[in-house]
Amino acid sequence: MAATQARQAPSARGVLFVHSSPRALSPHVEWAVGRALGEAVNFDWSDQPVLKGAQRAEYHWEGEAGTGAALASALRGWEHLRYEVTEDAGFGTDGGRWLHTPDLGIFFTQTDTVGNVVIPEDRVRSAMERAGANALELHRELRLALGQAWDDELEPFRHASDFNSVVWLHKVG
């Protein structure tokens, strides 16, 4: 590579799942996401059947590595917002998953190339040390490291997409 050539940041992609947003907040969510991505965005909002008056949306994004963190940061701290951001692992970069609920705040975990949660060795060792010989405490510590409380709270909102219309594809031939 020539010395004058700029090194290009790796490309990344992922999905933003807005699991619930009050109607009045939805345009502001689009604005914040657009600002983080550096371009205007429009979401295809639908009603969130789990929470009256709320909307849900999914948005597939592309950007530089680290864009997932920028999106999660742009939406962090909004009281009534439930969301999940994923960033796929890329060549030389780890993936990530950010979960946010009004009650729990934000949770981050690293992911591998197929989207599995990766718990770093130091975190596992710390959980083992804190739990000692108490198996129930080790279970609690590992659930915390996996973000289980966030998954438990978001799961009913994730299933809301099951209520949306489905297009069935049939195999022909």
Side-chain angles (χ1 to χ4, degrees):
M1 174 170 23
T4 58
Q5 228 177 351
R7 175 171 262 175
Q8 205 173 34
S11 181
R13 64 178 168 208
V15 182
L16 165 64
F17 301 93
V18 179
H19 294 298
S20 73
S21 172
R23 282 188 200 285
L25 189 58
S26 297
H28 300 282
V29 170
E30 289 181 0
W31 176 81
V33 169
R35 186 168 181 184
L37 292 173
E39 62 187 30
V41 299
N42 292 301
F43 295 172
D44 185 16
W45 293 99
S46 60
D47 289 338
Q48 172 51 271
V50 175
L51 186 61
K52 186 177 177 158
Q55 294 182 305
R56 62 179 312 281
E58 293 179 15
Y59 186 78
H60 296 262
W61 59 267
E62 290 188 12
E64 296 178 359
T67 298
L71 290 169
S73 294
L75 300 176
R76 183 177 181 206
W78 292 14
E79 268 183 51
H80 304 290
L81 193 62
R82 287 174 183 83
Y83 66 88
E84 189 169 350
V85 178
T86 65
E87 181 169 326
D88 298 340
F91 184 71
T93 62
D94 294 326
R97 184 171 164 225
W98 295 259
L99 308 170
H100 180 271
T101 73
D103 293 335
L104 299 172
I106 198 160
F107 174 82
F108 168 76
T109 190
Q110 190 178 339
T111 57
D112 65 13
T113 56
V114 293
N116 293 312
V117 169
V118 175
I119 303 174
E121 177 184 351
D122 288 345
R123 187 135 186 209
V124 173
R125 289 185 186 282
S126 176
M128 289 169 47
E129 186 176 313
R130 283 195 299 273
N134 185 335
L136 290 176
E137 182 61 16
L138 179 60
H139 185 263
R140 189 191 74 71
E141 289 286 339
L142 292 176
R143 286 176 54 88
L144 179 62
L146 289 167
Q148 190 64 53
W150 284 263
D151 278 332
D152 291 346
E153 190 170 322
L154 291 174
E155 197 60 24
F157 295 90
R158 291 177 181 141
H159 285 292
S161 64
D162 295 343
F163 298 115
N164 294 337
S165 60
V166 176
V167 177
W168 293 100
L169 302 177
H170 300 280
K171 185 175 179 181
V172 178

